[in-house]
């Protein structure tokens, strides 16, 4: 079957973002004719796939880069913002379970304590101070702190092996943390969408170009990679959820809002162990401080993963460099993305980020034994034969025009929408899949604001009951929604 010539909505990419947006739109208006194009043979195979990301349900419990120290004070505002976004996702997933849209939450989300672990007196002092600030917030009031070795042995036995009694160590622990298999969740959402009459999903279909029709709509040039068939499909609204490849597609649309953006790909690698003896002694996601020059997404962590019901340990990520924008992409992605409108931004960002370039070169050149020596900061007696190197997904960090520096490297996520609100794209990859519900609501606010505030409002509040409230100001509501999602998502804390 070939796609129809015209749809109301076209989504490009079969990752967690398109899956979330299509599910929301279908819930709001089941009559909307929606089409989703995915260039690979199945959905959820790029960044959203379980081993291509770390599966951390980012709630700012353990990521120290969300709580910088400024003038001797710990700023927790970003941490609260991230925590609130994850509560959006949990509410949305709870709604989907409640409505039987998806089933068996344990197949995609599991409780897993989130910990920050630090070494040395300076960082121990920082962590204590951070803990004192954080427990004042209703999002983090259940956070525990300890610098007592006996307690730390109980929390992370694998990491406490062979430590000296004099070692200055400390950790915080949040039992509310989660491990999420975003690939499985993507598959579940697509399985539901494909059962509906008004949503069509085409795999092996690559969108090559996006052009305005001249009467307010968009033409997508589609290439059927299996049957070598080309066709044009028209849509009233387009969402570019193509992950790392979103930027070239956005540029192809010619909208002025895309001008000046560039992309900087950073690949990742993990050390992975499935040794049951090690897994038995580590039941947490443990984040620490970044090394000098490292970008925020390369902060090392040692994680329990639960994928297809099987536990494993993951350490990393080690950053790498590749000119591909997708793991399954082309080495020409980066060179082809350079044009006269973004070359100044790209050069400026590179020039002002020399420590990052040095860091990436060092990371790429590392041998397995050098990677093992980083792991031994976490597990003193780690053995090389227990750990195998796996390739993670590609992230494309955004480069934005900057008046002073030419271009600036950004580590967040950005929703780009044209002035007519009929084409939208998500750029950047952090905090990522955890905030998919929040990010897609932002797309809806910008592009379907009127309908969201009026005819869709009741449904929206059913999906995300705390929508419109600044959660940090409602401690009782935080407790209530957490209890609700604990029950629906079968979490254990
Ligand atoms: C190393 C690493 C670790 C991460 N860790 C975490 C984490 O712990 N927690 C977290 O929340 N997030 C994490 N992330 C981020 C998270 O994985 C992403 O934010 C999220 O998966 C992005 O989803 P997406 O749907 O935008 O993109 P993707 O899942 O990449 O999906 C995009 C899809 O578009 C398709 N596509 C591309 N171009 C075209 C085209 N022209 N036509 C048709 N289809 C196309 C691709 O094949 C792909 O299937 C991590 C990412 C990486 C790389």
């Amino acid at each position: 079957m070939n796609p129809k010539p015209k749809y109301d909505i076209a989504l490009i990419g079969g990752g967690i973002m398109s899956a979330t947006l299509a599910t929301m739109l279908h819930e709001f208006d089941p009559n909307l004719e929606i089409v989703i194009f995915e260039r690979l043979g199945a959905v959820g195979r790029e960044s959203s796939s379980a081993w291509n990301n770390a599966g951390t349900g980012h709630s700012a419990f353990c990521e120290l880069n969300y709580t910088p120290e400024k003038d001797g004070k710990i700023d927790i505002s970003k941490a609260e913002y991230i925590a609130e976004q994850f509560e959006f996702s949990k509410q949305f997933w709870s709604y989907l379970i409640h409505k039987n849209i998806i089933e068996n939450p344990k197949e995609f989300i599991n409780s897993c304590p989130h910990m920050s672990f630090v070494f040395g007196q300076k960082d121990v002092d920082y962590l204590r101070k951070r803990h004192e600030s954080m427990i004042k917030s209703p999002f983090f009031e259940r956070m525990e702190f300890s610098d007592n070795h006996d307690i730390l042995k109980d929390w992370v036995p694998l990491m406490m092996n062979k430590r000296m009694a004099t070692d200055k160590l400390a950790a915080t622990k949040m039992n509310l943390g989660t491990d999420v298999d975003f690939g499985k969740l993507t598959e579940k959402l697509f399985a539901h969408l494909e059962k509906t009459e008004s949503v069509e999903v085409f795999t092996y279909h690559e969108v090559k170009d996006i052009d305005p029709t001249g009467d307010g709509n968009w033409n997508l040039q589609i290439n059927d990679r299996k049957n070598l068939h080309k066709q044009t499909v028209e849509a009233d609204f387009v969402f570019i959820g193509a992950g790392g490849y979103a930027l070239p597609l956005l540029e192809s649309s010619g909208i002025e809002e895309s001008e000046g953006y560039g992309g900087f790909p950073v690949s990742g690698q993990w050390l992975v162990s499935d040794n049951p003896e090690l897994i038995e002694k580590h039941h947490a996601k443990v984040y620490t401080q970044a090394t000098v020059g490292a970008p925020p997404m390369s902060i090392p962590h040692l994680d329990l993963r639960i994928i297809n019901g099987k536990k494993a340990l993951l350490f990393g990520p080690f950053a790498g460099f590749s000119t591909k924008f997708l793991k399954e992409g082309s080495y020409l992605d980066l060179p082809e993305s350079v044009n006269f409108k973004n070359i100044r931004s790209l050069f400026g960002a590179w020039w002002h980020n020399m420590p990052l370039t040095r860091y990436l070169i060092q990371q790429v050149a590392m041998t397995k034994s050098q990677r093992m020596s980083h792991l031994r900061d976490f597990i003193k007696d780690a053995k090389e034969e227990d750990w195998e190197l796996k390739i993670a997904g590609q992230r494309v960090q955004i480069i934005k025009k900057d008046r002073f520096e030419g271009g600036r490297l950004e580590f967040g996520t950005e929703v780009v929408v044209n002035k007519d609100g009929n084409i939208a794209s998500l750029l950047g990859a952090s905090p990522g899949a955890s905030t998919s519900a929040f990010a897609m609501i932002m797309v809806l606010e910008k592009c379907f604001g009127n309908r969201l505030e009026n005819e869709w409002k009741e449904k929206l509040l059913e999906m995300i009951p705390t929508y419109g409230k600044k959660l940090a100001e409602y401690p009782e509501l935080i407790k209530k929604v957490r209890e609700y999602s604990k029950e629906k998502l079968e979490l254990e804390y």
Side-chain angles (χ1 to χ4, degrees), residues 61-74:
F61 296 156
C62 55
E63 308 84 344
L64 298 174
N65 57 315
Y66 295 150
T67 49
E69 191 166 0
K70 286 182 191 157
D71 305 324
K73 280 199 175 142
I74 309 289

Side-chain angles (χ1 to χ4, degrees), residues 11-20 36-58 63 86 93 179-180 182-183 186 190 202 204-209 221-223 225 239-246 249 266-270 285 287 297 301 303 305 317-318 325-328 391-397 413 426-436 440:
L11 296 98
I12 308 170
I16 186 67
M17 297 299 171
S18 293
T20 303
I36 307 169
F37 297 110
E38 166 54 52
R39 67 187 287 275
L40 299 179
V43 298
R45 291 285 166 91
E46 270 288 339
S47 289
S48 303
S49 169
W51 283 112
N52 285 350
N53 61 70
T56 304
H58 285 298
E63 308 84 344
F86 193 58
W93 302 335
D179 176 67
V180 187
F182 295 106
T186 305
F190 270 97
F202 292 92
Y204 288 119
H205 280 62
E206 183 163 29
V207 177
K208 301 299 276 183
D209 198 7
Q221 307 300 329
I222 315 289
N223 189 5
R225 300 173 79 204
F239 172 67
I240 310 172
Y245 205 73
L249 286 173
V266 179
S267 59
Q269 291 176 338
W270 316 113
K285 284 181 178 282
Y287 279 58
M297 75 282 184
H301 44 101
D303 289 9
R305 298 300 313 273
F318 297 98
F325 280 177
L326 295 166
K327 193 171 172 180
E328 309 263 353
I391 308 293
Q394 286 286 111
R395 292 195 223 230
V396 177
Q397 304 304 143
T413 314
L426 190 77
L427 299 180
S430 181
S434 307
T435 58
S436 48
M440 293 306 100

Side-chain angles (χ1 to χ4, degrees), residues 108-288:
F108 73 89
I109 186 164
N110 284 279
S111 286
C112 177
H114 282 191
M115 292 179 57
S116 308
F117 196 100
V118 294
F119 311 87
Q121 192 59 54
K122 186 167 159 269
D123 285 345
V124 169
D125 292 343
Y126 160 76
L127 196 69
R128 184 180 287 109
K129 213 162 154 185
R130 174 182 181 269
H131 174 252
E132 282 163 8
S133 302
M134 288 193 90
I135 53 171
K136 290 182 192 140
S137 161
F139 283 114
F140 312 112
E141 61 187 14
R142 289 169 65 179
M143 184 178 279
E144 299 168 71
F145 169 90
S146 185
D147 56 1
N148 177 316
H149 280 219
D150 289 333
I151 293 176
L152 297 178
K153 265 182 211 150
D154 184 44
W155 286 356
V156 272
L158 189 61
M159 289 179 64
M160 291 304 289
N161 245 355
K162 306 231 184 281
R163 298 277 173 197
M164 313 262 282
T166 51
D167 285 349
K168 297 285 176 210
L169 305 167
T172 53
K173 183 164 182 262
M174 276 294 273
N175 289 332
L176 266 75
T178 49
D179 176 67
V180 187
D181 180 342
F182 295 106
K184 182 64 78 189
L185 176 59
T186 305
E187 285 168 21
K188 281 178 183 283
L189 293 175
F190 270 97
H192 162 72
L193 290 167
E194 285 185 87
K195 275 191 241 144
T196 66
E197 272 187 17
S198 53
V199 184
E200 292 174 6
V201 180
F202 292 92
T203 53
Y204 288 119
H205 280 62
E206 183 163 29
V207 177
K208 301 299 276 183
D209 198 7
I210 309 171
D211 296 304
T213 56
D215 58 359
N217 288 348
W218 295 97
N219 273 334
L220 308 186
Q221 307 300 329
I222 315 289
N223 189 5
D224 176 345
R225 300 173 79 204
K226 210 167 166 192
N227 301 307
L228 307 177
H229 166 80
K230 288 187 171 49
Q231 99 172 70
T232 302
V233 167
E234 187 181 339
D236 298 343
F237 171 81
V238 175
F239 172 67
I240 310 172
Y245 205 73
L247 183 66
L249 286 173
L250 188 65
E251 281 171 346
S252 87
S253 72
I255 61 167
E256 61 183 81
E257 291 76 5
S258 71
E259 285 175 14
Y261 279 102
F264 182 78
V266 179
S267 59
Q269 291 176 338
W270 316 113
L271 284 171
V272 174
S273 175
D274 55 11
N275 181 336
E277 275 176 45
L278 303 185
I279 296 166
E280 187 56 39
K281 292 189 209 143
H282 192 78
H283 188 78
K285 284 181 178 282
V286 182
Y287 279 58
T288 189

